C-alpha cells in the first residue's frame, strides 16, 4: 500500500500542495453549465470560462512588477479563475500609460513576471500577459491623482513622464490636459513591431501561457485603426487595409516567436461610439470590427476580446448591462455564419452569477448540478433560441470586489467546484444562500 502523503505540485520551484484538480473545476462536469465547462484555446485548456481582465495597478518600478502585483494577482489565481491576465505591459518605455506601468522592454523585467507565472502553475492555473503601447494616451498620471476635470493628466518630466516623446498614428491629442503626440515615422513603426516581437520572447521566457495584444481603448494600435485618429497618407493610413496594417504586422511578429500551440488573444474596441458624427465622418464601428474579426483566424489570433470605446473623448456610450456583451454576440454570430474558428471573449459590467452564466451558455447544456427548476428554465430558453454571446467571460472590477467570484458564482448556480486544498474547510454548505 502506498503511503498517504501531502504531494507537492509538480515542477514548482518550492513545496506547495498539489491542486488536483485546480480550484474552480466543476466536480461533475457533465451536469455543469457552460460557464464551468473547460475551454481549449490552442494548446491551453482552462477549467472554466472565467478570466481576470487586465487591470492597471500603476504600481510598477520602472516597468518591473512588484510584490503588490504578486499579491494582487495571486488572490484570483488561488480562487479559481481559469485565466488571469497581467495588466497592460508596455513593449517600450514610452509606451507606458503611466510612469508606474508594467513593461517587458528589457530582460530584467522577466523575473518578476516569472515569479507570478510559477505561482500560477503551481496552483494548476494559467497566466497571460497583455502587451501594449499606449500611443497618444501615454505619459499620464495614475487616475487617483486626477482629482478634478481641471487637473492635467499629463505626467511631466518631474513626475517621471516623457511628455516630449509621445507616439501616435497622427499628431492629434486625445483631449485637453493630455500630451501632444507626434506622428510616428516609418522607422519608428518598424522598431515598434520589433519591440513587440522582443516583448513576446520575454513573455515566453517568463513562462506565461498566452499573450493578449492590446488593440483597444485609444492606445496606439486602436489609434491606427480609427479613421478619426489616423490621418496618415502613407501605407499605414487611409483604407481599411492600411489602417489595420500595423496590427497585422504586430500579430505576425508575435506569432513568429511563439510556439505553434501557443494561444494569441486580441482586445479591440468594437466601436468608438462616435456614430453621432454622421456619415460624412467615418469612425471605427461594429461593421469594421466584424470585417477585422473575419481576418483574424488566418492571421493566427485564437480569441477576440471584445471591449469598446476609449478612442475619443467625445464618445457617446449607450450604457446598459449588456452594452458590450451585445457587441461580442454580434461579432460571434457573424464569425459563426462564416464557419470561422475564432473564439470570442466578452467583458464589461459582469457582476452576478446569472449574467455570467447567460453570456457563455450553449444550447443543450444543463444549467446546474442537481437544480431541476433551473434545468427546466434552460430547456425553455433552448426552445426559444438560446443566445450564446461569447466563449469566455472577462471580469475586472467584480474581481476586485470579490476575488472569490468564480467560487461564489458556482455556489449561486448550484455547481459544486473544487476549492484550494488549503481552504477545504471554507466551502459554503450546499444550498446556502450567499
Amino acid at each position: 500500500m502506498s503511503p498517504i502523503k501531502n504531494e507537492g505540485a509538480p515542477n514548482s520551484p518550492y513545496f506547495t500542495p498539489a491542486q488536483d484538480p485546480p480550484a474552480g473545476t466543476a466536480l461533475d462536469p457533465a451536469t455543469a453549465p457552460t460557464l464551468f465547462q473547460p475551454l481549449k484555446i490552442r494548446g491551453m485548456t482552462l477549467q472554466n470560462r472565467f478570466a481576470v481582465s487586465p487591470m492597471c495597478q500603476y504600481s510598477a518600478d520602472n516597468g518591473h512588477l512588484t510584490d503588490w502585483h504578486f499579491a494582487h494577482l495571486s488572490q484570483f489565481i488561488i480562487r479559481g479563475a481559469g485565466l488571469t491576465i497581467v495588466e497592460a505591459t508596455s513593449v517600450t518605455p514610452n509606451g507606458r500609460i503611466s510612469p508606474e506601468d508594467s513593461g517587458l522592454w528589457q530582460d530584467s523585467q522577466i523575473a518578476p513576471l516569472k515569479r507570478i507565472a510559477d505561482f500560477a502553475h503551481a496552483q494548476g492555473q494559467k497566466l497571460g500577459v497583455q502587451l501594449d503601447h499606449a500611443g497618444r494616451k501615454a505619459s499620464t498620471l495614475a487616475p487617483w491623482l486626477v482629482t478634478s476635470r481641471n487637473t492635467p493628466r499629463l505626467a511631466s518630466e518631474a513626475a517621471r513622464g516623457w511628455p516630449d516623446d509621445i507616439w501616435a498614428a497622427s499628431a492629434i491629442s486625445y483631449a485637453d490636459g493630455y500630451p501632444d503626440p507626434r506622428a510616428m515615422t516609418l522607422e519608428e513603426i518598424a522598431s515598434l513591431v520589433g519591440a513587440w516581437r522582443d516583448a513576446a520572447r520575454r513573455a515566453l521566457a517568463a513562462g506565461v501561457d498566452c499573450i493578449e495584444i492590446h488593440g483597444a481603448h485609444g492606445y496606439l494600435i486602436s489609434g491606427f485603426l480609427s479613421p478619426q485618429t489616423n490621418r496618415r497618407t502613407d501605407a499605414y493610413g487611409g483604407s481599411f487595409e492600411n489602417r489595420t496594417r500595423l496590427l497585422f504586422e504586430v500579430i505576425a511578429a508575435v506569432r513568429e516567436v511563439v510556439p505553434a500551440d501557443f494561444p494569441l488573444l486580441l482586445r479591440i474596441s468594437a466601436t468608438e461610439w462616435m456614430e453621432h458624427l454622421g456619415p460624412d465622418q467615418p469612425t471605427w464601428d461594429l461593421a469594421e470590427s466584424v470585417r477585422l474579426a473575419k481576418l483574424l483566424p488566418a492571421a493566427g489570433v485564437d480569441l477576440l476580446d471584445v471591449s469598446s470605446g476609449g478612442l475619443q473623448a467625445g464618445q457617446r456610450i449607450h450604457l446598459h448591462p449588456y452594452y458590450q456583451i451585445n457587441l461580442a454576440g454580434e461579432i460571434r454570430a457573424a464569425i459563426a455564419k462564416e464557419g470561422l474558428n475564432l473564439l470570442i471573449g466578452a467583458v464589461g459590467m459582469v457582476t452576478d452569477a446569472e449574467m455570467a452564466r447567460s453570456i457563455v451558455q450553449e444550447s443543450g447544456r444543463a444549467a446546474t448540478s442537481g437544480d431541476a427548476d433551473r434545468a427546466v428554465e434552460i430547456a425553455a430558453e433552448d426552445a426559444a433560441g438560446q443566445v450564446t454571446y461569447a466563449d469566455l467571460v472577462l471580469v475586472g472590477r467584480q474581481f476586485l470586489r470579490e476575488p472569490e467570484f468564480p467560487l461564489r458564482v458556482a455556489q449561486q448556480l448550484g455547481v459544486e467546484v473544487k476549492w484550494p486544498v488549503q481552504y477545504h474547510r471554507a466551502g459554503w454548505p450546499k444550498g446556502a444562500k450567499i
Side-chain angles (χ1 to χ4, degrees):
M1 180 181 292
S2 300
I4 298 174
K5 63 179 181 178
N6 191 5
E7 295 285 356
N11 304 316
S12 173
Y14 49 84
F15 176 79
T16 184
Q19 307 286 344
D20 186 21
T25 302
L27 299 183
D28 185 6
T31 59
T34 307
L35 187 61
F36 288 95
Q37 291 291 317
L39 179 65
K40 184 174 175 59
I41 311 175
R42 258 187 219 239
M44 177 179 73
T45 299
L46 310 180
Q47 80 274 28
N48 59 44
R49 306 301 181 94
F50 290 96
V52 179
S53 196
M55 291 180 280
C56 290
Q57 297 296 291
Y58 310 96
S59 300
D61 182 4
N62 190 31
H64 298 77
L65 299 177
T66 69
D67 283 356
W68 171 265
H69 299 91
F70 184 89
H72 163 66
L73 295 168
S74 64
Q75 64 182 329
F76 313 127
I77 290 168
I78 66 176
R79 290 174 172 86
L83 173 64
T84 300
I85 306 179
V86 178
E87 65 188 72
T89 297
S90 184
V91 300
T92 65
N94 77 342
R96 289 169 290 170
I97 302 166
S98 81
E100 295 77 40
D101 273 23
S102 171
L104 271 177
W105 66 79
Q106 56 186 357
D107 288 352
S108 61
Q109 293 159 342
I110 296 172
L113 177 59
K114 187 176 188 300
R115 180 188 177 206
I116 301 171
D118 286 346
F119 179 78
H121 297 156
Q123 309 311 308
Q125 308 288 16
K126 301 297 190 292
L127 187 78
V129 64
Q130 184 187 67
L131 298 183
D132 182 34
H133 190 292
R136 66 178 186 161
K137 297 173 83 172
S139 192
T140 54
L141 295 169
W144 57 81
L145 299 176
V146 184
T147 56
S148 74
R149 291 187 176 183
N150 296 323
T151 304
R153 292 181 177 268
L154 176 68
S156 64
E157 290 184 0
R160 300 189 297 274
W162 49 98
D164 297 326
D165 189 25
I166 307 298
W167 289 355
S170 299
I172 305 171
S173 177
Y174 176 74
D176 292 341
Y178 279 80
D180 291 320
R182 59 181 175 80
M184 294 178 71
T185 66
L186 294 179
E187 291 75 18
E188 287 168 339
I189 291 173
S191 73
L192 178 71
V193 173
W196 229 289
R197 182 185 297 110
D198 292 341
R201 286 196 186 101
R202 295 186 182 102
L204 279 181
V208 302
D209 300 286
C210 65
I211 288 172
E212 178 171 89
I213 295 169
H214 200 341
H217 301 160
Y219 301 129
L220 189 71
I221 286 178
S222 62
F224 271 80
L225 294 179
S226 169
Q228 287 294 311
T229 53
N230 183 346
R231 306 293 175 86
R232 302 178 72 96
T233 57
D234 58 14
Y236 291 90
S239 67
F240 174 87
E241 290 76 12
N242 284 359
R243 286 182 283 112
T244 59
R245 188 180 305 277
L246 174 60
L247 170 59
F248 283 109
E249 288 181 352
V250 167
I251 293 170
V254 173
R255 267 278 155 233
E256 180 183 320
V257 298
V258 300
D261 65 347
F262 188 86
L264 183 58
L265 289 59
L266 169 66
R267 171 168 281 191
I268 64 167
S269 288
T271 174
E272 55 185 309
W273 298 110
M274 295 294 288
E275 291 86 352
H276 58 277
L277 293 179
D280 295 334
Q281 291 286 324
T283 66
W284 184 268
D285 57 15
L286 182 59
E288 294 229 306
S289 290
V290 169
R291 184 178 178 184
L292 174 65
K294 292 177 180 179
L295 302 174
L296 295 177
V301 173
D302 303 297
L303 184 143
L304 181 63
D305 174 359
V306 180
S307 188
S308 73
L311 284 84
Q312 302 275 21
Q315 65 185 13
R316 294 182 185 175
I317 299 177
H318 311 301
L319 198 62
H320 57 85
Y322 279 74
Y323 82 104
Q324 290 184 156
I325 310 302
N326 288 340
L327 297 171
E330 292 198 44
I331 294 174
R332 189 178 189 272
I335 291 298
K337 188 176 181 180
E338 298 282 336
L340 297 171
N341 185 21
L342 179 68
L343 297 169
I344 300 295
V347 64
M349 301 182 74
V350 181
T351 60
D352 61 69
E354 184 51 37
M355 184 175 184
R357 183 206 68 81
S358 71
I359 290 168
V360 298
Q361 182 64 31
E362 296 173 359
S363 178
R365 294 298 317 175
T368 61
S369 177
D371 186 341
D373 291 340
R374 186 60 195 142
V376 170
E377 292 178 17
I378 290 299
E381 289 177 8
D382 289 346
Q386 168 71 39
V387 175
T388 304
Y389 297 91
D391 304 283
L392 184 69
V393 179
L394 293 106
V395 180
R397 295 177 191 179
Q398 196 62 25
F399 266 113
L400 300 182
R401 303 180 187 109
E402 296 180 304
E404 75 284 359
F405 188 57
L407 303 177
R408 187 177 292 265
V409 166
Q411 174 74 7
Q412 291 170 340
L413 294 179
V415 182
E416 292 188 69
V417 297
K418 178 74 160 42
W419 280 55
V421 293
Q422 299 95 323
Y423 290 5
H424 73 282
R425 291 190 178 100
W428 294 289
K430 189 174 181 177
K433 302 298 182 183
I434 58 170

